[in-house]
Amino acid sequence: MILQTLIVAFVVSYIGSIPPGTINVSVMQLAILHKRRAAVFFAFAASAVEFIYAGVTVQFHIFLNNNEVIADYFRIITSIALIGLGLSNIFSKSTSSSIKVDTKLTGRHGFLRGLLLGFLNPMTIPFWLAITTYLENDHWINVDEYGFWMYLIGLSTGTFCLLLTVNALGKRFTKIADNPFLVHKVPGFFLFGLGVYFLIKLVV
């Protein structure tokens, strides 16, 4: 089960990091500008922050599981938030061109920039909280004892590998980043469906 937790966390994190946002588009732009070393440091820093946020998320998830009354209310709030986030994605029209990055970044500066943007992206907490709840309720993962660390390693490694993929693809990633269907509609319908699924499970 520990190995399964690691693999599932890696796959979900890798796929979940594909929709272009500040982090992966910044890596893409650095790659296009031939700042690949800075992009790697940036990716490592952002993934390290993801590890921290994931740890907070799982600890909060465990706390909720031990406080069922609070958990029920929070699941309702999380479901509504996922539906709202899904609708926001579905009707969004932003593209990668709306995200800019400092062209003078070096390796060290790339690391610091990755830390900064990573910490300025706290929306990953409610997202991973919902995903973690779904995965554990359906017995895809186990976050007890060693499973906790395997889950965190899987999430952060999945994010890092996706960012390395973006760095390798460079300009070719723009075909994904500027495709509104892949960027917004697909993750939007996924988040909307996940929110509705959670609400139905709470009612039924």
Side-chain angles (χ1 to χ4, degrees), residues 87-118:
L87 291 174
S88 174
N89 269 275
I90 291 170
F91 294 106
S92 177
K93 297 184 183 298
S94 64
T95 64
S96 65
S97 60
S98 62
I99 300 174
K100 302 299 179 184
V101 64
D102 186 355
T103 59
K104 298 180 181 179
L105 288 179
T106 61
R108 182 183 63 184
H109 295 128
F111 182 82
L112 295 175
R113 183 74 171 177
L115 286 178
L116 176 63
L117 292 183

Side-chain angles (χ1 to χ4, degrees), residues 146-158:
Y146 292 113
F148 170 80
W149 296 108
M150 289 299 100
Y151 187 65
L152 299 192
I153 292 171
L155 289 184
S156 54
T157 304

Side-chain angles (χ1 to χ4, degrees), residues 19-203:
T22 306
I23 303 296
N24 52 16
V25 171
S26 293
V27 171
M28 176 196 74
Q29 292 180 347
L30 286 171
I32 292 173
L33 295 169
H34 303 292
K35 300 277 186 176
R36 294 188 181 275
R37 183 170 177 270
V40 171
F41 278 91
F42 183 100
F44 180 76
S47 301
V49 175
E50 186 92 354
F51 184 92
I52 296 172
Y53 275 160
V56 173
T57 299
V58 177
Q59 287 297 334
F60 191 44
H61 166 76
I62 294 172
F63 167 78
L64 289 176
N65 280 349
N66 294 330
N67 296 269
E68 197 60 37
V69 176
I70 300 176
D72 287 339
Y73 286 109
F74 192 81
R75 284 174 188 140
I76 294 173
I77 295 172
T78 303
S79 299
I80 295 173
L82 284 173
I83 291 173
L85 190 59
L87 291 174
S88 174
N89 269 275
I90 291 170
F91 294 106
S92 177
K93 297 184 183 298
S94 64
T95 64
S96 65
S97 60
S98 62
I99 300 174
K100 302 299 179 184
V101 64
D102 186 355
T103 59
K104 298 180 181 179
L105 288 179
T106 61
R108 182 183 63 184
H109 295 128
F111 182 82
L112 295 175
R113 183 74 171 177
L115 286 178
L116 176 63
L117 292 183
F119 279 116
L120 290 177
N121 190 31
M123 280 304 295
T124 56
I125 292 179
F127 174 76
W128 286 122
L129 181 61
I131 296 298
T132 301
T133 301
Y134 168 76
L135 292 174
E136 188 170 51
N137 286 349
D138 282 24
H139 306 294
W140 284 93
I141 63 171
N142 183 352
V143 293
D144 294 334
E145 299 181 354
Y146 292 113
F148 170 80
W149 296 108
M150 289 299 100
Y151 187 65
L152 299 192
I153 292 171
L155 289 184
S156 54
T157 304
T159 298
F160 183 62
C161 288
L162 185 277
L163 294 178
L164 289 183
T165 302
V166 172
N167 188 23
L169 290 175
K171 192 172 184 179
R172 283 173 289 180
F173 186 71
T174 57
K175 294 181 180 179
I176 298 175
D178 291 328
N179 185 320
F181 179 77
L182 291 176
V183 171
H184 299 297
K185 299 297 187 294
V186 172
F189 282 119
F190 171 75
L191 293 171
F192 180 82
L194 195 59
V196 171
Y197 171 76
F198 279 144
L199 280 180
I200 292 174
K201 287 195 72 173
L202 288 171
V203 174

